[in-house]
Amino acid sequence: MMKRLLSVLAVVATSAVAQAGTIDGAWEAKSSIGEVDVPFKVEFSGDGANFKGTLFDGDVPVTSTSGKLEGDTFVLKFDHFLGKLKGTIKDGRIEGTYSNVGREGGYTHEFSAVRPSNKPVVAAKDVPSIDGQWEIPHESAKGEKAWRLIIHQKGDEASATILRIDGDTGGLKGRYQDGKFILSLFAGSKVLRLDVVPTKDGTLDLTLHSTYAKFLTKSGETDKTYLKYVAYRPADARAKGLPEPTDPLKHTTVRNASERFKFQFPDVDGKVYSSEDAKFKGKVVVAVVTGTWCPNCHDEAQYLVELHKKYRDQGLEVVALDFEENEQQEQNYKRVRAFVKHYGVEYPYLIAGAPLEMWTKVPQAVNLNTWPATFFIGRDGLVKQIHAGFASPASAELNTELKKQFTETIEKLLSENSTASR
């Protein structure tokens, strides 16, 4: 009798452990924008107050800052984005929402998720080649005439990003099906789907589905959830006389190259930093105009943290001139504090004002309209170079090129006379 009881208890215990662990691992999820699905991957691990979740920006993991799993429900917070993923597990399926607070008011997306199918993926036949760089003619409010489209393809699978002067859209991934590539992204503050249709004339017909499409359309189209474009190979674009994408090193300039770059702002705790402080005197300074609501600013911050650690002992200082919404300023900078903690920022992160105050708070700049904008300042306090936007790892070779530019500029400025007067 006792042996049978122990056997039953063992089965119950095993069942309980199995039930507790059913959410661990990868799930295939699906949300929507307008009338179209947005497929994405999400992974879970842990339990109780140690529960974690990971979304993916291309191949880059975006992990929750905290979470809790209680019974069949969970909540995951992505505080550095003011994002929250909630879900309920039932019959091997997850139903939930992802909400985000951003500069344009934020959004809430419903989603569902199931375990990955064991069925083998059958590669599509006669898949056209779209690999490489493309250009998208587009006149933006920032003065651009074209964007870049970077695609990496392997068989019927592809990843892509659209690179604007501010930065790229992040890593969209997917595959070829029913005559088009369906590429999507669901992570942090980015929820996108890009449909790519190769045409007989060698161009690509693009449909970009976005929660924020309405902000990029003509006045009155408030319900717009998608935008249409055409992409050309660079050589074909030149042959047609189409303009090139904007050079990020020439987009923003300064009014007077002989005028020292000045700033004086507090951090979130009220400590004031000034360009006249001994901390910055005679140093090479990288000053970035940024905002934690800006996805591309998240991309750049991770790289600036690396540069700061690598070169600070050689005389480099990094400082963020952060512009946050009034709501965030009234809420004690919750997202800023989480952002600094999550990315391990050790350089001053200063609150310069609200986004619409950027032009008055950084008066030395001309055509300052990108997030981020990075100022490289020599030991003499003068601006030597300005880089508009930031191409993330999703931009592949263009991200590599950007990092090379940043590194070469910093090393050149560090090599200059360390006793230069400021």
Side-chain angles (χ1 to χ4, degrees):
M1 184 70 177
M2 180 61 70
K3 185 176 181 181
R4 182 178 178 185
L5 177 61
L6 291 173
S7 178
V8 170
L9 290 175
V11 170
V12 171
T14 301
S15 176
V17 171
Q19 181 64 29
T22 53
I23 194 171
D24 280 8
W27 292 72
E28 291 180 346
K30 181 172 63 177
S31 185
S32 64
I33 297 175
E35 301 297 321
V36 302
D37 291 336
V38 179
F40 64 97
K41 182 176 74 170
V42 58
E43 293 182 355
F44 301 107
S45 64
D47 55 25
N50 296 317
F51 186 61
K52 292 183 178 181
T54 301
L55 300 169
F56 293 87
D57 182 344
D59 293 321
V60 178
V62 179
T63 302
S64 59
T65 51
S66 64
K68 192 170 187 179
L69 173 64
E70 289 185 311
D72 59 359
T73 64
F74 65 84
V75 176
L76 290 164
K77 293 183 179 181
F78 297 79
D79 287 334
H80 50 314
F81 290 105
L82 287 185
K84 186 179 292 185
L85 189 76
K86 295 182 177 181
T88 300
I89 313 150
K90 185 178 181 180
D91 299 328
R93 185 181 183 87
I94 298 174
E95 299 285 346
T97 61
Y98 178 80
S99 59
N100 173 270
V101 178
R103 187 179 170 192
E104 282 85 14
Y107 55 80
T108 297
H109 280 283
E110 295 182 352
F111 76 93
S112 61
V114 296
R115 284 296 190 182
S117 171
N118 291 324
K119 295 180 180 179
V121 176
V122 179
K125 296 180 180 179
D126 302 320
V127 180
S129 175
I130 62 171
D131 188 74
Q133 289 195 32
W134 300 76
E135 292 180 6
I136 304 170
H138 177 75
E139 292 191 17
S140 77
K142 298 180 184 292
E144 300 165 274
K145 301 297 183 183
W147 293 337
R148 288 183 173 86
L149 171 65
I150 303 101
I151 299 176
H152 284 200
Q153 179 185 357
K154 186 176 181 181
D156 66 326
E157 297 182 339
S159 60
T161 193
I162 296 174
L163 179 58
R164 304 150 294 126
I165 191 61
D166 282 278
D168 58 53
T169 57
L172 297 110
K173 298 188 72 173
R175 61 190 330 118
Y176 186 73
Q177 51 187 294
D178 300 325
K180 62 184 176 183
F181 289 86
I182 297 178
L183 314 176
S184 58
L185 166 62
F186 190 108
S189 57
K190 305 170 185 176
V191 179
L192 301 166
R193 169 170 153 167
L194 180 66
D195 294 357
V196 183
V197 180
T199 68
K200 292 181 180 179
D201 65 3
T203 63
L204 301 177
D205 284 341
L206 309 175
T207 303
L208 178 65
H209 302 270
S210 168
T211 305
Y212 294 124
K214 61 185 179 182
F215 295 105
L216 304 175
T217 58
K218 295 179 180 179
S219 177
E221 297 180 304
T222 56
D223 60 344
K224 196 79 168 179
T225 60
Y226 65 89
L227 299 166
K228 288 187 173 293
Y229 306 101
V230 176
Y232 299 83
R233 290 293 189 186
D236 294 336
R238 299 294 82 74
K240 289 180 175 292
L242 296 172
E244 297 183 42
T246 302
D247 184 342
L249 293 177
K250 297 179 179 178
H251 184 74
T252 302
T253 58
V254 290
R255 300 183 189 282
N256 182 355
S258 300
E259 180 183 359
R260 293 179 181 177
F261 187 84
K262 298 178 181 178
F263 61 85
Q264 183 173 330
F265 302 111
D267 63 14
V268 292
D269 296 317
K271 181 179 179 179
V272 176
Y273 289 80
S274 167
S275 52
E276 299 303 310
D277 292 345
K279 177 180 180 65
F280 302 107
K281 285 283 188 178
K283 301 283 188 68
V284 172
V285 178
V286 173
V288 56
V289 172
T290 187
T292 60
W293 48 267
C294 152
N296 301 117
C297 300
H298 283 251
D299 297 329
E300 185 186 40
Q302 298 171 69
Y303 182 52
L304 292 182
V305 166
E306 293 179 20
L307 289 176
H308 182 230
K309 290 180 178 179
K310 181 177 181 180
Y311 292 107
R312 60 187 172 188
D313 291 341
Q314 301 177 43
L316 174 70
E317 292 291 344
V318 178
V319 60
L321 309 184
D322 182 33
F323 291 86
E324 295 294 319
E325 315 99 302
N326 291 327
E327 293 82 357
Q328 273 302 294
Q329 297 183 40
E330 293 166 1
Q331 295 172 16
N332 197 27
Y333 308 104
K334 180 180 179 180
R335 186 176 55 220
V336 177
R337 295 178 186 276
F339 179 102
V340 168
K341 179 181 178 180
H342 186 76
Y343 295 126
V345 175
E346 297 179 354
Y347 50 83
Y349 216 87
L350 310 183
I351 306 301
L356 292 178
E357 296 179 295
M358 175 176 65
W359 298 278
T360 57
K361 296 299 183 70
V362 191
Q364 291 151 290
V366 177
N367 199 38
L368 176 61
N369 57 16
T370 66
W371 302 92
T374 309
F375 294 72
F376 295 85
I377 302 159
R379 296 182 186 275
D380 57 3
L382 303 182
V383 176
K384 308 299 183 181
Q385 181 174 288
I386 304 173
H387 190 284
F390 187 82
S392 82
S395 289
E397 59 269 23
L398 295 180
N399 171 257
T400 301
E401 181 181 322
L402 178 151
K403 289 182 174 181
K404 181 181 178 183
Q405 290 175 348
F406 276 31
T407 299
E408 289 179 348
T409 300
I410 289 171
E411 291 182 348
K412 179 178 181 296
L413 294 176
L414 287 172
S415 70
E416 294 178 353
N417 187 358
S418 62
T419 62
S421 173
R422 294 188 68 179

